C-alpha cells in the first residue's frame, strides 16, 4: 500500500499531515513573508469595463488598457461577454475532477512537460529543487478538434463544458489582442497576424490547504511564457503581484477575469509593456482553484519587437526568436524570479 510520501499528487498526500514536508520548504530568504503583503482594493488593480469595446467608448477603453499594460502589466475585466453559467460550469467541473478517486485522476498523470494533456504536481518535477504546493491539470485547447480527444472523459461532461469555455475565452482573447495592438499604436490585427497558427493552453490549478503556508508557495514569483493570460479564480485569495518592490494581494471579484501580460508581449511592445512578476500563495484553511488560459504564438512563430515601435530613440531591445526556442528555455530553467527574456536581449552598444 502506498504511503503518503509515495503518492504522486499533493491532494492525496495532504490528508492527515500537520507539517510541510521538507521537499516543499523554501530557503529562509525565499519565503512569502505574508505579513508584509499589501491588500488590493478596487483602485489598486485597474478594473476595466469592456461593455463598450465595440461602441463609441472604444478609444477610451483602449487607453485604459494601454495604461494598465504599461504601468501594471495586468488588469481586471468585467462585462467581458462570457456568460456566468459558462464560468460557473468550468469551476464546478474543475472541482469535480480533483474530487475524483485517485485511481481515476491518475489516468491523466504524466511528468513529461511536452505532453499536451497531463495531470501533474508542482511545476516541473524533473528540474526543480523545491516543490510547489500545487497539483494541476494542463490542457492544450486550440485548435480544439486536435486536442479534445486527449482530455479526461470523467467527469462525464468534462469535454463538453471545457470545450465551451475554451471557445468563449479564445473569442475574448482575440478581442483583447486587438485592443492591446491598437493601444500600442499598431494595426488592430498586427499581434494576431504575428502568432503563426496561434496556440491556446489552459490549466486547472488545485492548491490544497497547507499546514504551514509561510514556508512554501503555490507557485513562486514568475512571469508568464505566453502572450496574455486570462485568469479565472474562485473566491479564495492567493494571487499576488509585484509592484514597486512590494507584493500586493489581488483579491477575487465575482464575474471578473484577471488579464496579465506575458513575456512575448513585452518583446512585441519593445519593453513598453511589462510582463508582470506574480506568484500564488496558499493558506491553511481552504482549498483554492484557479483556471488560467494561456494564449500564445504557435511554435514556429517569430517573435520580435514590432517595427513600428523601433526608432532612433527606441532601438530594438530584443533579437527575434521563434516561440519554440523561448518556450523550451522557459520550461527547462524552471520558475525563477529573473525574467527568461534576459536571454534574448540585444547587448547595449
Amino acid at each position: 500500500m502506498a504511503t503518503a510520501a509515495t503518492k504522486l499528487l499533493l491532494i492525496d498526500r495532504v490528508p492527515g499531515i500537520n507539517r510541510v514536508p521538507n521537499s516543499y520548504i523554501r530557503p529562509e530568504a525565499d519565503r512569502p513573508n505574508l505579513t508584509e503583503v499589501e491588500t488590493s482594493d478596487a483602485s489598486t488593480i485597474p478594473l476595466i469595463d469592456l461593455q463598450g469595446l465595440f461602441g463609441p467608448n472604444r478609444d477610451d477603453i483602449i487607453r485604459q488598457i494601454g495604461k494598465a499594460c504599461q504601468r501594471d502589466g495586468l488588469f481586471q475585466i468585467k462585462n467581458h461577454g462570457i456568460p456566468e453559467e459558462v464560468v460557473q460550469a468550468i469551476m464546478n467541473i474543475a472541482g469535480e475532477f480533483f474530487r475524483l478517486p485517485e485511481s481515476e485522476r491518475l489516468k491523466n498523470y504524466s511528468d513529461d512537460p511536452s505532453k499536451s494533456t497531463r495531470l501533474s504536481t508542482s511545476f516541473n518535477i524533473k528540474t526543480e529543487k523545491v516543490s510547489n504546493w500545487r497539483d494541476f491539470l494542463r490542457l492544450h485547447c486550440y485548435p480544439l478538434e486536435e486536442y479534445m480527444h486527449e482530455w479526461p472523459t470523467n467527469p462525464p461532461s468534462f469535454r463538453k463544458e471545457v470545450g465551451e469555455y475554451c471557445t468563449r475565452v479564445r473569442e475574448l482573447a482575440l478581442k483583447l489582442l486587438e485592443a492591446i495592438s491598437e493601444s500600442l499604436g499598431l494595426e488592430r490585427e498586427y499581434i494576431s497576424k504575428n502568432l503563426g497558427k496561434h496556440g491556446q493552453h489552459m490549466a486547472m490549478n488545485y492548491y490544497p490547504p497547507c499546514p504551514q503556508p509561510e514556508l512554501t508557495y503555490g507557485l513562486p514569483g514568475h512571469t508568464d511564457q505566453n502572450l496574455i493570460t486570462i485568469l479565472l479564480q474562485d473566491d479564495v485569495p492567493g494571487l499576488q503581484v509585484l509592484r514597486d518592490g512590494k507584493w500586493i494581494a489581488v483579491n477575487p471579484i465575482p464575474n471578473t477575469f484577471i488579464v496579465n501580460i506575458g513575456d512575448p508581449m513585452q518583446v512585441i511592445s519593445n519593453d513598453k509593456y511589462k510582463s508582470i512578476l506574480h506568484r500564488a500563495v496558499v493558506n491553511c484553511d481552504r482549498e483554492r482553484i484557479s483556471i488560467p488560459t494561456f494564449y500564445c504564438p504557435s511554435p514556429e512563430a517569430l517573435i520580435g519587437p514590432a517595427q513600428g515601435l523601433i526608432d532612433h530613440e527606441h532601438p530594438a531591445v530584443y533579437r527575434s526568436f521563434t516561440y519554440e526556442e523561448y518556450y523550451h528555455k522557459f520550461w527547462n530553467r524552471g520558475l525563477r524570479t529573473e525574467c527568461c527574456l534576459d536571454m534574448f536581449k540585444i547587448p547595449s552598444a
Side-chain angles (χ1 to χ4, degrees), residues 266-306:
Q266 180 169 327
V267 172
I268 290 170
S269 76
N270 203 32
D271 265 1
K272 185 175 182 181
Y273 292 170
K274 299 301 179 192
S275 178
I276 186 156
L277 204 62
H278 57 287
R279 67 186 188 182
V281 298
V282 290
N283 71 85
C284 51
D285 301 315
R286 300 174 66 190
E287 65 182 17
R288 175 175 178 257
I289 291 176
S290 73
I291 304 177
T293 293
F294 309 107
Y295 207 82
C296 46
S298 49
E300 78 288 348
L302 198 62
I303 307 299

Side-chain angles (χ1 to χ4, degrees), residues 65-225:
I65 289 173
K67 184 179 177 183
C69 290
Q70 194 163 3
R71 178 176 177 266
D72 301 288
L74 91 162
F75 51 94
Q76 300 169 97
I77 52 173
K78 63 180 182 178
N79 292 322
H80 41 69
I82 299 182
E84 197 174 331
E85 58 269 23
V86 173
V87 170
Q88 197 54 56
I90 191 80
M91 290 303 296
N92 290 345
I93 211 82
E96 286 177 40
F97 176 82
F98 284 106
R99 283 191 294 272
L100 288 171
E102 179 184 11
S103 58
E104 187 62 32
R105 274 184 278 111
L106 287 178
K107 290 176 182 176
N108 305 282
Y109 184 85
S110 173
D111 62 5
D112 178 2
S114 69
K115 282 200 72 170
S116 50
T117 296
R118 70 186 187 107
L119 174 69
S120 194
T121 191
S122 192
F123 177 72
N124 186 349
I125 55 178
K126 289 185 171 181
T127 61
E128 63 201 12
K129 292 188 175 78
V130 182
S131 297
N132 303 305
W133 201 262
R134 170 186 84 137
D135 293 331
F136 64 91
L137 176 66
R138 192 173 176 99
L139 311 168
H140 284 224
C141 38
Y142 181 79
L144 208 53
E145 61 275 8
E146 286 187 20
Y147 298 109
M148 192 187 267
H149 69 277
E150 301 176 354
W151 295 357
T153 53
N154 199 1
S157 63
F158 187 95
R159 292 182 180 180
K160 175 180 175 291
E161 304 288 9
V162 176
E164 172 69 12
Y165 179 79
C166 291
T167 300
R168 298 280 193 158
V169 174
R170 180 169 187 267
E171 291 168 0
L172 174 60
L174 292 173
K175 291 174 189 172
L176 288 168
L177 290 180
E178 287 182 355
I180 292 169
S181 201
E182 282 188 58
S183 74
L184 284 165
L186 303 169
E187 293 176 15
R188 185 182 290 194
E189 299 289 330
Y190 178 87
I191 294 174
S192 183
K193 283 180 179 174
N194 282 273
L195 302 184
K197 298 173 185 173
H198 292 220
Q200 182 182 340
H201 314 156
M202 69 179 291
M204 293 178 172
N205 293 323
Y206 179 82
Y207 302 98
C210 177
Q212 296 168 295
E214 70 281 359
L215 298 181
T216 190
Y217 288 108
L219 281 173
H222 64 283
T223 57
D224 281 351
Q225 85 282 8

Side-chain angles (χ1 to χ4, degrees), residues 298-328:
S298 49
E300 78 288 348
L302 198 62
I303 307 299
Q307 287 300 313
L309 302 177
I310 299 171
D311 56 31
H312 181 68
E313 291 182 10
H314 306 93
V317 179
Y318 303 95
R319 67 173 176 86
S320 294
F321 51 89
T322 65
Y323 185 61
E324 184 172 36
E325 180 188 359
Y326 167 81
Y327 194 76
H328 283 313

